[in-house]
Amino acid sequence: MADKLAQVRERIAAAATKAKRETSEITLIAVTKAAAPDQIREIVSLGVHDLAESRPQVLLQRAAQLNEFYQRRAVYGEGPPPSKIRWHMIGHLQRNKVKPLLPLVQVIQSIDSLRLAEEIDTQAAKIDRKIPVLLEVNASEESSKTGVAVGAAVHLAEQIDSMDNLQIVGLMTMAPLEASESAIRNVFARTRELFEELRWHKIGRTHMRHLSMGMSNDFEAAIAEGATMLRIGSALFGTKIVEAETSLE
Ligand SMILES: *Cc1c(COP(=O)(O)O)cnc(C)c1O
């Protein structure tokens, strides 16, 4: 795990240098889809405090397991938990999953409809939180992809910006899995242009700072186009998806 993480960090540093950017403005988010529970603890101990899941149920289980582990450790005097673990929700979120998820999640990156935003706003108000959110954009305009259409994004971002218990902080996108390097780069460039448009409109004001784009196979291109959050799974944990049930210890 330490070797894989070091390799990923080297690739990030090289891509940042090439793009004349600081690595400090790029956050590595470990996507734990294919990680065993002990690997999650290991990557946290190696200093990666941003974790992500694409399935709400799995995020719930893993976040709860991790909390329990650190609580148990604290009871035995083996040191306090890492000061800050942030769980990011990055996959399709149904409205009926919002309420149970909110207490364990810090950032929701996959907002793609007004109805979902409204439900998160309502539930966040009940627990007196303001949730940082990213709008998921379908910048490749493939019909199979999730996310809001580019043409509808400004309006939806404005609506989210008017909600008391949501703070819009950026955009998230996914490039097509099988596409040429230039097609992938185009998707990231379009997302960055949209991001600049939102900033021009002062949507989210100074909080509008994040472009979540780039996965294991395309994050160099995302860094070149200004990504501030990379969502990396397989380069760290391999590709074997760990099911929710078997991840219970
Ligand atoms: C799985 C997933 C990732 C990570 O992809 P890898 O190719 O494994 O790095 C990133 N973002 C989302 C939304 C995902 O579902």
Side-chain angles (χ1 to χ4, degrees), residues 174-196:
M174 262 199 280
L177 288 181
E178 315 244 322
S180 66
E181 233 177 280
S182 67
I184 289 172
R185 183 86 185 240
N186 268 335
V187 166
F188 294 149
R190 276 181 95 166
T191 308
R192 178 178 45 74
E193 284 158 16
L194 180 61
F195 175 71
E196 281 160 9

Side-chain angles (χ1 to χ4, degrees), residues 31 33 54 90 172 174 215-216 231-234:
V31 178
K33 261 186 248 179
S54 56
I90 59 171
M172 186 265 255
M174 262 199 280
M215 319 203 317
S216 295
R231 307 179 312 271
I232 298 182
S234 54

